[in-house]
mmCIF file of all heavy atoms in Angstrom:
data_model
loop_
_atom_site.group_PDB
_atom_site.id
_atom_site.type_symbol
_atom_site.label_atom_id
_atom_site.label_comp_id
_atom_site.label_asym_id
_atom_site.label_seq_id
_atom_site.Cartn_x
_atom_site.Cartn_y
_atom_site.Cartn_z
ATOM 1 N N GLY A 1 64.724 22.223 57.974
ATOM 2 C CA GLY A 1 64.702 23.371 58.829
ATOM 3 C C GLY A 1 66.052 23.492 59.668
ATOM 4 O O GLY A 1 66.989 22.624 59.367
ATOM 5 N N GLN A 2 66.246 24.565 60.389
ATOM 6 C CA GLN A 2 67.421 24.665 61.132
ATOM 7 C C GLN A 2 67.113 25.553 62.389
ATOM 8 O O GLN A 2 65.991 26.009 62.478
ATOM 9 C CB GLN A 2 68.542 25.450 60.283
ATOM 10 C CG GLN A 2 68.233 26.783 59.857
ATOM 11 C CD GLN A 2 68.525 27.890 60.747
ATOM 12 O OE1 GLN A 2 69.677 27.977 61.252
ATOM 13 N NE2 GLN A 2 67.663 28.813 61.029
ATOM 14 N N GLU A 3 68.012 25.807 63.187
ATOM 15 C CA GLU A 3 67.716 26.647 64.392
ATOM 16 C C GLU A 3 68.952 27.457 64.756
ATOM 17 O O GLU A 3 70.112 26.904 64.738
ATOM 18 C CB GLU A 3 67.317 25.800 65.609
ATOM 19 C CG GLU A 3 68.105 24.498 65.919
ATOM 20 C CD GLU A 3 69.370 24.778 66.550
ATOM 21 O OE1 GLU A 3 69.250 25.285 67.787
ATOM 22 O OE2 GLU A 3 70.524 24.373 66.166
ATOM 23 N N ASN A 4 68.685 28.797 64.836
ATOM 24 C CA ASN A 4 69.854 29.786 65.084
ATOM 25 C C ASN A 4 69.301 31.050 65.517
ATOM 26 O O ASN A 4 67.994 31.274 65.455
ATOM 27 C CB ASN A 4 70.592 29.983 63.711
ATOM 28 C CG ASN A 4 71.925 29.214 63.740
ATOM 29 O OD1 ASN A 4 72.803 29.323 64.609
ATOM 30 N ND2 ASN A 4 72.101 28.376 62.712
ATOM 31 N N PRO A 5 70.076 31.963 66.119
ATOM 32 C CA PRO A 5 69.593 33.250 66.434
ATOM 33 C C PRO A 5 69.179 34.116 65.259
ATOM 34 O O PRO A 5 69.642 33.751 64.138
ATOM 35 C CB PRO A 5 70.875 33.888 67.174
ATOM 36 C CG PRO A 5 71.739 32.687 67.542
ATOM 37 C CD PRO A 5 71.495 31.675 66.507
ATOM 38 N N PHE A 6 68.508 35.153 65.422
ATOM 39 C CA PHE A 6 68.092 36.100 64.368
ATOM 40 C C PHE A 6 69.270 36.499 63.437
ATOM 41 O O PHE A 6 69.228 36.528 62.267
ATOM 42 C CB PHE A 6 67.369 37.349 64.885
ATOM 43 C CG PHE A 6 66.051 37.051 65.611
ATOM 44 C CD1 PHE A 6 65.696 37.880 66.635
ATOM 45 C CD2 PHE A 6 65.327 36.006 65.220
ATOM 46 C CE1 PHE A 6 64.588 37.704 67.326
ATOM 47 C CE2 PHE A 6 64.132 35.798 65.953
ATOM 48 C CZ PHE A 6 63.691 36.601 66.916
ATOM 49 N N ALA A 7 70.375 36.894 64.110
ATOM 50 C CA ALA A 7 71.544 37.464 63.455
ATOM 51 C C ALA A 7 72.060 36.534 62.370
ATOM 52 O O ALA A 7 72.249 36.929 61.230
ATOM 53 C CB ALA A 7 72.604 37.826 64.388
ATOM 54 N N LEU A 8 72.254 35.223 62.708
ATOM 55 C CA LEU A 8 72.741 34.240 61.747
ATOM 56 C C LEU A 8 71.664 33.893 60.647
ATOM 57 O O LEU A 8 72.080 33.762 59.493
ATOM 58 C CB LEU A 8 73.290 33.106 62.493
ATOM 59 C CG LEU A 8 74.568 33.306 63.244
ATOM 60 C CD1 LEU A 8 74.995 31.974 63.988
ATOM 61 C CD2 LEU A 8 75.603 33.814 62.471
ATOM 62 N N ILE A 9 70.407 33.958 61.039
ATOM 63 C CA ILE A 9 69.428 33.698 60.077
ATOM 64 C C ILE A 9 69.444 34.733 59.027
ATOM 65 O O ILE A 9 69.319 34.572 57.752
ATOM 66 C CB ILE A 9 67.966 33.649 60.731
ATOM 67 C CG1 ILE A 9 67.948 32.446 61.700
ATOM 68 C CG2 ILE A 9 66.848 33.482 59.708
ATOM 69 C CD1 ILE A 9 66.728 32.422 62.572
ATOM 70 N N LYS A 10 69.584 35.960 59.454
ATOM 71 C CA LYS A 10 69.627 37.160 58.606
ATOM 72 C C LYS A 10 71.006 37.131 57.712
ATOM 73 O O LYS A 10 70.843 37.274 56.491
ATOM 74 C CB LYS A 10 69.510 38.492 59.349
ATOM 75 C CG LYS A 10 69.790 39.765 58.495
ATOM 76 C CD LYS A 10 69.777 41.001 59.365
ATOM 77 C CE LYS A 10 71.086 41.112 60.127
ATOM 78 N NZ LYS A 10 72.140 41.806 59.431
ATOM 79 N N ASP A 11 72.109 37.075 58.321
ATOM 80 C CA ASP A 11 73.241 37.082 57.641
ATOM 81 C C ASP A 11 73.420 36.054 56.606
ATOM 82 O O ASP A 11 74.189 36.288 55.556
ATOM 83 C CB ASP A 11 74.470 37.074 58.684
ATOM 84 C CG ASP A 11 74.481 38.283 59.615
ATOM 85 O OD1 ASP A 11 73.865 39.309 59.265
ATOM 86 O OD2 ASP A 11 75.241 38.289 60.610
ATOM 87 N N ALA A 12 72.940 34.892 56.822
ATOM 88 C CA ALA A 12 73.143 33.751 55.877
ATOM 89 C C ALA A 12 71.930 33.815 54.822
ATOM 90 O O ALA A 12 71.964 32.945 53.882
ATOM 91 C CB ALA A 12 73.103 32.424 56.625
ATOM 92 N N GLY A 13 71.060 34.853 54.889
ATOM 93 C CA GLY A 13 69.932 34.898 53.926
ATOM 94 C C GLY A 13 69.048 33.761 54.054
ATOM 95 O O GLY A 13 68.314 33.440 53.066
ATOM 96 N N LEU A 14 68.868 33.129 55.159
ATOM 97 C CA LEU A 14 67.989 31.977 55.355
ATOM 98 C C LEU A 14 66.503 32.292 55.161
ATOM 99 O O LEU A 14 65.691 31.384 55.007
ATOM 100 C CB LEU A 14 68.206 31.304 56.600
ATOM 101 C CG LEU A 14 69.729 30.797 56.839
ATOM 102 C CD1 LEU A 14 69.781 29.913 58.233
ATOM 103 C CD2 LEU A 14 70.185 29.877 55.788
ATOM 104 N N TYR A 15 66.182 33.578 55.333
ATOM 105 C CA TYR A 15 64.772 34.035 55.023
ATOM 106 C C TYR A 15 64.444 33.803 53.592
ATOM 107 O O TYR A 15 63.163 33.761 53.259
ATOM 108 C CB TYR A 15 64.667 35.502 55.441
ATOM 109 C CG TYR A 15 65.683 36.371 54.717
ATOM 110 C CD1 TYR A 15 65.504 36.924 53.498
ATOM 111 C CD2 TYR A 15 66.881 36.740 55.425
ATOM 112 C CE1 TYR A 15 66.428 37.732 52.767
ATOM 113 C CE2 TYR A 15 67.792 37.622 54.805
ATOM 114 C CZ TYR A 15 67.588 38.011 53.489
ATOM 115 O OH TYR A 15 68.513 38.754 52.925
ATOM 116 N N GLU A 16 65.375 33.565 52.755
ATOM 117 C CA GLU A 16 65.058 33.378 51.295
ATOM 118 C C GLU A 16 64.595 31.951 51.093
ATOM 119 O O GLU A 16 63.842 31.579 50.060
ATOM 120 C CB GLU A 16 66.295 33.660 50.476
ATOM 121 C CG GLU A 16 66.760 35.010 50.411
ATOM 122 C CD GLU A 16 68.013 35.287 49.518
ATOM 123 O OE1 GLU A 16 68.316 34.394 48.800
ATOM 124 O OE2 GLU A 16 68.645 36.377 49.682
ATOM 125 N N VAL A 17 64.940 31.026 52.009
ATOM 126 C CA VAL A 17 64.530 29.495 51.823
ATOM 127 C C VAL A 17 63.760 29.091 53.034
ATOM 128 O O VAL A 17 63.491 27.892 52.998
ATOM 129 C CB VAL A 17 65.848 28.769 51.582
ATOM 130 C CG1 VAL A 17 66.357 29.040 50.221
ATOM 131 C CG2 VAL A 17 66.912 29.078 52.604
ATOM 132 N N GLN A 18 63.397 30.022 53.965
ATOM 133 C CA GLN A 18 62.597 29.503 55.120
ATOM 134 C C GLN A 18 61.433 30.591 55.369
ATOM 135 O O GLN A 18 61.696 31.845 55.453
ATOM 136 C CB GLN A 18 63.445 29.464 56.410
ATOM 137 C CG GLN A 18 64.541 28.313 56.249
ATOM 138 C CD GLN A 18 63.995 26.981 56.659
ATOM 139 O OE1 GLN A 18 64.108 26.503 57.832
ATOM 140 N NE2 GLN A 18 63.514 26.259 55.657
ATOM 141 N N LYS A 19 60.248 30.166 55.468
ATOM 142 C CA LYS A 19 59.104 30.974 55.672
ATOM 143 C C LYS A 19 58.750 31.425 56.958
ATOM 144 O O LYS A 19 58.445 32.479 57.294
ATOM 145 C CB LYS A 19 57.877 30.368 54.996
ATOM 146 C CG LYS A 19 56.643 31.164 55.081
ATOM 147 C CD LYS A 19 56.569 32.490 54.313
ATOM 148 C CE LYS A 19 55.273 33.156 54.394
ATOM 149 N NZ LYS A 19 55.309 34.515 53.781
ATOM 150 N N TYR A 20 58.960 30.526 57.988
ATOM 151 C CA TYR A 20 58.454 30.594 59.344
ATOM 152 C C TYR A 20 59.684 30.526 60.282
ATOM 153 O O TYR A 20 60.565 29.760 60.170
ATOM 154 C CB TYR A 20 57.458 29.526 59.749
ATOM 155 C CG TYR A 20 56.216 29.589 58.813
ATOM 156 C CD1 TYR A 20 56.074 28.653 57.744
ATOM 157 C CD2 TYR A 20 55.134 30.493 59.044
ATOM 158 C CE1 TYR A 20 54.885 28.689 56.912
ATOM 159 C CE2 TYR A 20 54.023 30.468 58.268
ATOM 160 C CZ TYR A 20 53.902 29.682 57.167
ATOM 161 O OH TYR A 20 52.864 29.651 56.397
ATOM 162 N N CYS A 21 59.520 31.485 61.312
ATOM 163 C CA CYS A 21 60.483 31.350 62.471
ATOM 164 C C CYS A 21 59.654 31.202 63.703
ATOM 165 O O CYS A 21 58.891 32.056 64.093
ATOM 166 C CB CYS A 21 61.235 32.720 62.460
ATOM 167 S SG CYS A 21 62.365 32.829 63.916
ATOM 168 N N MET A 22 59.876 30.025 64.329
ATOM 169 C CA MET A 22 59.172 29.645 65.582
ATOM 170 C C MET A 22 59.936 30.231 66.705
ATOM 171 O O MET A 22 61.100 29.989 66.858
ATOM 172 C CB MET A 22 59.088 28.085 65.645
ATOM 173 C CG MET A 22 57.925 27.489 64.923
ATOM 174 S SD MET A 22 57.761 27.915 63.141
ATOM 175 C CE MET A 22 59.074 26.935 62.414
ATOM 176 N N LEU A 23 59.292 31.031 67.598
ATOM 177 C CA LEU A 23 59.869 31.563 68.760
ATOM 178 C C LEU A 23 60.038 30.740 69.908
ATOM 179 O O LEU A 23 59.528 30.874 70.955
ATOM 180 C CB LEU A 23 59.111 32.858 69.100
ATOM 181 C CG LEU A 23 59.023 33.924 67.910
ATOM 182 C CD1 LEU A 23 58.161 35.098 68.343
ATOM 183 C CD2 LEU A 23 60.486 34.451 67.582
ATOM 184 N N THR A 24 60.832 29.597 69.628
ATOM 185 C CA THR A 24 61.041 28.634 70.728
ATOM 186 C C THR A 24 62.039 29.106 71.711
ATOM 187 O O THR A 24 61.902 28.718 72.887
ATOM 188 C CB THR A 24 61.734 27.355 70.024
ATOM 189 O OG1 THR A 24 62.840 27.843 69.189
ATOM 190 C CG2 THR A 24 60.677 26.578 69.134
ATOM 191 N N GLU A 25 62.968 29.980 71.308
ATOM 192 C CA GLU A 25 63.998 30.573 72.302
ATOM 193 C C GLU A 25 64.517 29.462 73.216
ATOM 194 O O GLU A 25 64.661 29.624 74.357
ATOM 195 C CB GLU A 25 63.335 31.671 73.047
ATOM 196 C CG GLU A 25 62.938 32.821 72.241
ATOM 197 C CD GLU A 25 62.373 33.984 73.181
ATOM 198 O OE1 GLU A 25 61.747 33.730 74.136
ATOM 199 O OE2 GLU A 25 62.612 35.189 72.705
ATOM 200 N N HIS A 26 64.799 28.312 72.535
ATOM 201 C CA HIS A 26 65.137 27.067 73.265
ATOM 202 C C HIS A 26 66.586 27.157 73.948
ATOM 203 O O HIS A 26 66.843 26.421 74.873
ATOM 204 C CB HIS A 26 65.009 25.865 72.423
ATOM 205 C CG HIS A 26 65.714 25.939 71.108
ATOM 206 N ND1 HIS A 26 65.165 26.558 70.022
ATOM 207 C CD2 HIS A 26 66.933 25.472 70.680
ATOM 208 C CE1 HIS A 26 66.024 26.438 68.995
ATOM 209 N NE2 HIS A 26 67.130 25.815 69.386
ATOM 210 N N VAL A 27 67.500 27.927 73.326
ATOM 211 C CA VAL A 27 68.753 28.162 73.938
ATOM 212 C C VAL A 27 69.067 29.613 74.011
ATOM 213 O O VAL A 27 69.123 30.379 72.916
ATOM 214 C CB VAL A 27 69.844 27.523 73.105
ATOM 215 C CG1 VAL A 27 71.242 27.724 73.613
ATOM 216 C CG2 VAL A 27 69.630 25.951 73.101
ATOM 217 N N LYS A 28 69.329 29.999 75.224
ATOM 218 C CA LYS A 28 69.813 31.424 75.443
ATOM 219 C C LYS A 28 71.304 31.197 75.872
ATOM 220 O O LYS A 28 71.566 30.629 76.925
ATOM 221 C CB LYS A 28 69.043 32.129 76.453
ATOM 222 C CG LYS A 28 69.420 33.588 76.704
ATOM 223 C CD LYS A 28 69.177 34.492 75.591
ATOM 224 C CE LYS A 28 69.590 35.926 76.007
ATOM 225 N NZ LYS A 28 69.444 36.842 74.701
ATOM 226 N N SER A 29 72.243 31.615 75.112
ATOM 227 C CA SER A 29 73.568 31.159 75.423
ATOM 228 C C SER A 29 74.608 32.277 75.210
ATOM 229 O O SER A 29 74.313 33.390 74.853
ATOM 230 C CB SER A 29 73.992 30.009 74.426
ATOM 231 O OG SER A 29 73.935 30.436 73.045
ATOM 232 N N TRP A 30 75.878 31.894 75.403
ATOM 233 C CA TRP A 30 76.942 32.793 75.237
ATOM 234 C C TRP A 30 78.074 31.993 74.434
ATOM 235 O O TRP A 30 78.112 30.796 74.488
ATOM 236 C CB TRP A 30 77.508 33.420 76.434
ATOM 237 C CG TRP A 30 78.141 32.503 77.484
ATOM 238 C CD1 TRP A 30 79.509 32.240 77.579
ATOM 239 C CD2 TRP A 30 77.535 31.705 78.492
ATOM 240 N NE1 TRP A 30 79.767 31.410 78.645
ATOM 241 C CE2 TRP A 30 78.608 31.021 79.213
ATOM 242 C CE3 TRP A 30 76.274 31.458 78.866
ATOM 243 C CZ2 TRP A 30 78.337 30.230 80.300
ATOM 244 C CZ3 TRP A 30 75.977 30.629 79.934
ATOM 245 C CH2 TRP A 30 77.043 30.039 80.603
ATOM 246 N N ALA A 31 78.926 32.736 73.740
ATOM 247 C CA ALA A 31 79.980 32.154 73.036
ATOM 248 C C ALA A 31 81.362 32.611 73.656
ATOM 249 O O ALA A 31 81.359 33.771 74.215
ATOM 250 C CB ALA A 31 80.017 32.460 71.523
ATOM 251 N N TYR A 32 82.382 31.871 73.520
ATOM 252 C CA TYR A 32 83.622 32.429 74.065
ATOM 253 C C TYR A 32 84.602 32.722 72.877
ATOM 254 O O TYR A 32 84.572 32.131 71.796
ATOM 255 C CB TYR A 32 84.290 31.146 74.796
ATOM 256 C CG TYR A 32 83.773 30.913 76.159
ATOM 257 C CD1 TYR A 32 83.114 29.764 76.479
ATOM 258 C CD2 TYR A 32 83.878 31.931 77.118
ATOM 259 C CE1 TYR A 32 82.634 29.553 77.738
ATOM 260 C CE2 TYR A 32 83.378 31.699 78.510
ATOM 261 C CZ TYR A 32 82.674 30.453 78.776
ATOM 262 O OH TYR A 32 82.307 30.366 79.956
ATOM 263 N N VAL A 33 85.323 33.786 73.124
ATOM 264 C CA VAL A 33 86.528 33.987 72.336
ATOM 265 C C VAL A 33 87.615 33.288 72.975
ATOM 266 O O VAL A 33 87.991 33.536 74.040
ATOM 267 C CB VAL A 33 86.847 35.409 72.094
ATOM 268 C CG1 VAL A 33 88.063 35.733 71.232
ATOM 269 C CG2 VAL A 33 85.647 36.332 71.700
ATOM 270 N N VAL A 34 88.254 32.309 72.240
ATOM 271 C CA VAL A 34 89.242 31.467 72.951
ATOM 272 C C VAL A 34 90.635 31.613 72.071
ATOM 273 O O VAL A 34 90.596 31.918 70.898
ATOM 274 C CB VAL A 34 88.935 29.999 72.990
ATOM 275 C CG1 VAL A 34 87.725 29.709 73.807
ATOM 276 C CG2 VAL A 34 88.604 29.371 71.578
#
């Protein structure tokens, strides 16, 4: 398994190799442009 936001799960096509998405929402975060 792995853990990521919806966007990266979609963009990487992980739905093709992962059946379930657990709504843990364990990290709500931000990224920096540095």
Side-chain angles (χ1 to χ4, degrees):
Q2 64 86 51
E3 44 84 56
N4 260 305
F6 295 150
L8 292 180
I9 296 170
K10 175 185 74 90
D11 291 345
L14 301 185
Y15 52 85
E16 296 179 13
V17 288
Q18 297 275 266
K19 176 66 175 174
Y20 299 98
C21 180
M22 276 53 72
L23 297 175
T24 51
E25 297 183 324
H26 51 277
V27 175
K28 183 70 177 170
S29 65
W30 67 97
Y32 284 115
V33 181
V34 296

